[in-house]
Amino acid sequence: RRVREAVVSTQSTGNFPLRGHDESAESENQGSFKELIKLMKEIDPTFKFSSKSFTGTSPDIQNELIELIGNAVFNEILSEVSQCEFWALMADETADKSNKTHLSICLRYLKDGEVYERFIGFFDVSGKTTAAELATVILEVVEPFDTRKMSGQAYDEASCMSGEKNGVPARIQAKYPHAVFTHCFGNRLNLAVKDSMGFSKVVEFFRVCGNLESYFVGSPRRMEVYERHCTNGTMPMGSTSATRWAYTGGLIKHILNTREVLIESLKEIAGSGGRKCNWEIESRLKASGYHRKLQDSTFIFLLELFEKIFDILDILSEKLQSKALTVGHYESMVKDMIRQLKEIQLEPLVDTGERKATRSVLLEGFCIDGLTGETVNPLELGRKILKRTVECVEARLGSLPQFKWFALLNRSVLSHTCVLANSVYGDLFDMEQ
């Protein structure tokens, strides 16, 4: 019992993992759990005598301790939420390494003037794909809380999660009418970026970037060539993601910053430049194709353009994840982002692409793609991309009329309205209330 109390108290408040990376007898740090057991034996002779054979590392004991720690944290959250005026629910689906689907649920509430977002847990929803099944899981999770204070719910735009009539929000709101649904702002931004990338040339561009990353990361031998050419230290490759465009932005920046290194690495693999080549034909052909692409003026122009676009989007994405975000801040940030997108100057980016290119043929302001032979006007393509991006951002992240009434909670506005009402209606209008 004393071990359980000590472990639950220290692990739950300190947010420490139970097990250590190296728990061998020779390890200087066997993990917080084992180190705590050793400390208790040193300071408590009674415990040392009664626990000579006790290790506490059996699966049953470890699982019991994890359950106790979880219960302690949950009860603390339950206590905090019970003292709040309102709280909101946030949920999203995710898959683990075994490809089982889990629903992660968090609560958001205000305590002592500070916003808190608390993780409640992962809940197995494998095989539960309908809105009715997911809503049932959520309702069971929130049942211990004071649901009369549930004022909001936020999810992504999956069909079952955002359906207006039969989706999860509608089913939750049927039971708790005050739980207003908000489409996750971060997911809105991700969908806006995804919608804006519909041009065939842009689709091809991101496909090449993703394949180039896989080409190196998927082969230790090719990565060895790449790392050998990184004279200023190895720079980890980024990755593309269909659901998280921030990762794609990191890959674009990486390719742009290490373009010369990648060109030299691909040149070596392709067997050009008089080097002895002992690579298989498939690797050589792909290396030759990527090598030409990295020296194509349109490709370089798109690298430069999307680096600027993602730099702007990444700032907003990071701010949208702030737990202190308000509707007023949200609208001003979106307007600022749209302004920055409109101010991007394309001509210098075209000049940079043409200056760095060696494989494209320039002809009256146009260029011929180094791989396809297609004639492309970079300026026109850039204008279309920026115009489409701004339109999609405005459509997905524009004004939120359903939340305009929150402006009434601004005390500077509300107090002025109260003064006017009090001057007209006198005692019939309680200014304090």
Side-chain angles (χ1 to χ4, degrees):
R1 182 178 60 82
R2 294 165 61 193
V3 173
R4 291 191 305 180
E5 291 176 351
V7 170
V8 170
S9 176
T10 56
Q11 304 296 108
S12 61
T13 57
N15 197 25
F16 300 125
L18 275 179
R19 305 304 296 267
H21 178 67
D22 181 5
E23 295 186 345
S24 63
E26 297 77 20
S27 175
E28 295 183 357
N29 183 359
Q30 296 180 319
S32 58
F33 176 73
K34 280 198 168 185
E35 294 296 333
L36 179 62
I37 297 297
K38 289 195 295 185
L39 178 63
M40 292 183 67
K41 289 181 179 181
E42 291 177 3
I43 64 177
D44 190 336
T46 305
F47 179 77
K48 180 178 181 180
F49 176 78
S50 61
S51 60
K52 289 183 178 180
S53 60
F54 176 78
T55 61
T57 56
S58 72
D60 289 341
I61 292 177
Q62 290 285 295
N63 288 335
E64 180 184 359
L65 289 171
I66 291 173
E67 183 178 357
L68 289 170
I69 293 171
N71 291 339
V73 173
F74 181 82
N75 290 333
E76 181 64 24
I77 297 173
L78 189 63
S79 174
E80 288 185 352
V81 172
S82 66
Q83 301 172 39
C84 298
E85 294 295 331
F86 306 102
W87 58 272
L89 163 78
M90 299 182 292
D92 192 17
E93 287 181 306
T94 185
D96 61 17
K97 285 190 174 181
S98 62
N99 215 27
K100 288 184 178 180
T101 304
H102 296 266
L103 191 68
S104 60
I105 296 180
C106 300
L107 296 188
R108 176 185 170 96
Y109 53 90
L110 189 70
K111 176 190 173 187
D112 299 329
E114 184 175 352
V115 177
Y116 289 86
E117 292 181 353
R118 300 297 196 192
F119 173 69
I120 302 300
F122 288 114
F123 301 90
D124 190 356
V125 291
S126 301
K128 299 178 181 179
T129 58
T130 66
E133 291 171 327
L134 294 175
T136 299
V137 173
I138 292 174
L139 289 172
E140 290 175 354
V141 172
V142 302
E143 187 176 0
F145 298 90
D146 188 349
T147 49
R148 295 172 302 174
K149 299 178 179 180
M150 184 178 176
S151 61
Q153 48 180 327
Y155 318 110
D156 60 19
E157 205 182 43
S159 57
C160 66
M161 299 299 286
S162 61
E164 185 175 346
K165 294 183 178 180
N166 296 312
V168 172
R171 294 174 183 273
I172 300 292
Q173 206 162 9
K175 188 170 184 178
Y176 306 115
H178 299 299
V180 179
F181 169 62
T182 304
H183 180 192
C184 170
F185 291 164
N187 185 247
R188 284 174 184 258
L189 176 61
N190 189 69
L191 292 175
V193 177
K194 185 177 180 180
D195 292 344
S196 67
M197 306 303 171
F199 301 105
S200 59
K201 195 67 182 174
V202 174
V203 172
E204 180 197 0
F205 168 76
F206 284 110
R207 178 183 58 80
V208 171
C209 290
N211 290 344
L212 178 61
E213 177 261 340
S214 300
Y215 179 77
F216 281 99
V217 174
S219 169
R221 187 182 177 197
R222 290 193 285 265
M223 276 301 293
E224 186 276 328
V225 175
Y226 164 76
E227 291 172 354
R228 180 157 33 85
H229 285 282
C230 290
T231 55
N232 296 325
T234 303
M235 296 183 66
M237 296 287 286
S239 62
T240 58
S241 172
T243 57
R244 294 291 182 271
W245 279 93
Y247 293 130
T248 304
L251 176 60
I252 299 301
K253 187 178 289 292
H254 173 85
I255 293 176
L256 188 61
N257 292 338
T258 62
R259 178 175 159 273
E260 295 299 329
V261 172
L262 291 169
I263 287 174
E264 290 302 314
S265 302
L266 292 167
K267 185 187 294 185
E268 178 177 334
I269 296 172
S272 58
R275 293 184 177 88
K276 182 180 178 181
C277 180
N278 57 356
W279 293 85
E280 62 276 14
I281 186 64
E282 184 179 359
S283 290
R284 294 177 60 190
L285 289 174
K286 288 184 177 180
S288 179
Y290 294 136
H291 183 264
R292 291 197 301 272
K293 206 62 172 168
L294 286 172
Q295 298 178 90
D296 173 68
S297 63
T298 303
F299 190 83
I300 298 171
F301 164 73
L302 290 176
L303 284 174
E304 298 278 354
L305 174 59
F306 280 112
E307 183 195 34
K308 290 189 174 298
I309 290 176
F310 279 115
D311 280 347
I312 296 171
L313 296 178
D314 287 347
I315 294 174
L316 179 63
S317 177
E318 184 176 347
K319 289 182 178 179
L320 287 178
Q321 297 176 53
S322 169
K323 62 184 181 181
L325 179 68
T326 65
V327 175
H329 291 152
Y330 168 81
E331 287 198 319
S332 65
M333 288 189 302
V334 171
K335 289 178 181 178
D336 186 57
M337 184 190 73
I338 292 173
R339 177 188 58 77
Q340 292 183 56
L341 288 172
K342 291 180 177 179
E343 290 178 353
I344 292 178
Q345 299 296 314
L346 296 175
E347 287 78 3
L349 305 183
V350 174
D351 293 341
T352 300
E354 294 175 353
R355 188 175 65 255
K356 293 181 178 180
T358 59
R359 292 287 179 178
S360 294
V361 180
L362 303 180
L363 179 64
E364 296 180 359
F366 293 80
C367 66
I368 299 176
D369 187 282
L371 278 183
T372 65
E374 178 185 355
T375 302
V376 180
N377 184 335
L379 269 178
E380 186 63 29
L381 177 61
R383 292 190 187 103
K384 288 182 179 179
I385 291 172
L386 287 178
K387 183 175 181 293
R388 179 74 174 270
T389 302
V390 170
E391 290 174 348
C392 292
V393 167
E394 288 178 334
R396 291 280 187 180
L397 301 173
S399 61
L400 303 175
Q402 67 269 39
F403 294 111
K404 289 294 186 181
W405 63 272
F406 273 113
L408 293 174
L409 301 181
N410 185 329
R411 291 193 63 85
S412 62
V413 176
L414 184 60
S415 60
H416 179 65
T417 306
C418 287
V419 169
L420 291 176
N422 186 255
S423 64
V424 175
Y425 298 105
D427 295 338
L428 295 177
F429 192 91
D430 189 331
M431 186 170 175
E432 289 300 320
Q433 293 186 14

